[in-house]
Structure formats: structure tokens, C-alpha cells
Amino acid sequence: MEAPPPPREPGGEAAFARRIDPQREPGLSPEQRRLMAQVEIAQRQRVLQRRLRSRNTLMAVVVGAVAFGIYGYTFYSVSQERFLDELEQEAEAARARARARAEGAAS
């Protein structure tokens, strides 16, 4: 059985992807209707997978950006901290005072 040629539009071009209702289409066997339903289900699953893949990719980019942002901010904030330097200066001053007292007591 050969498929009929696609219907022509008034401009002479063929219609693109004419949608049919398998339940109302005359001349389709139950097997053809079942096959069309399977194809539609498979197409819906592919569309859903594409949609999920794009959402997953977007989520991965967002999570990665947040993680790198936290990582970068941590390095920035640690480089701004000066309290260890201040503690080291205070300890050095205390050592110098202790040496001065020790030298003053020894002489």
C-alpha cells in the first residue's frame, strides 16, 4: 500500500506535518493506531528528557557558580584578615619587653 502524496497548499508547496486524529482517520487498522500511540509516547518522553537535561544543566551551572563564589569569597575574606599579624606583632613586642627586662635585671 503506497502512501498518498502530501496535500498541496494554494501556493503549490506541500503542507508540513499535517496532524491527524488516529481515532477518526478512516482506513487505519488497530495495529496502525497502536503503533501511532507508541510513537507519540516515545516523542513525549524524548521531549521530557530534553527538558530535564536542560534543567539539569542549568542547575549544575548555578550550583557550580555558587560553590565557586563561596570559594572565592572565602579566599578574599581570609586575605583581608589581619588579626594574626596583629597577634604576631603583640607577641614580638612582649618578647622585646621581656628581653629588655632581662637585660636590665642582669646589669
Side-chain angles (χ1 to χ4, degrees):
M1 182 169 146
E2 188 176 311
R8 298 281 176 182
E9 294 292 322
E13 295 181 15
F16 183 76
R18 183 175 61 100
R19 185 165 181 91
I20 63 168
D21 183 7
Q23 302 301 326
R24 295 184 182 152
E25 190 69 25
L28 290 179
S29 70
E31 180 65 24
Q32 289 172 326
R33 290 185 177 136
R34 188 184 62 77
L35 182 62
M36 288 176 73
Q38 284 179 344
V39 168
E40 283 185 14
I41 290 170
Q43 287 176 343
R44 285 187 187 130
Q45 286 176 344
R46 275 195 300 265
V47 168
L48 180 62
Q49 285 175 349
R50 278 191 209 132
R51 207 176 290 158
L52 287 175
R53 189 176 301 128
S54 64
R55 286 182 187 170
N56 288 344
T57 302
L58 178 64
M59 183 60 74
V61 168
V62 168
V63 169
V66 168
F68 279 118
I70 291 171
Y71 187 74
Y73 177 73
T74 302
F75 269 101
Y76 173 74
S77 64
V78 166
S79 70
Q80 296 295 319
E81 292 178 358
R82 302 285 184 224
F83 72 93
L84 290 178
D85 295 338
E86 292 170 5
L87 288 176
E88 186 63 37
Q89 289 173 356
E90 289 176 17
E92 188 61 38
R95 284 187 210 117
R97 283 193 303 265
R99 274 190 239 125
R101 278 191 222 131
E103 289 174 3
S107 31

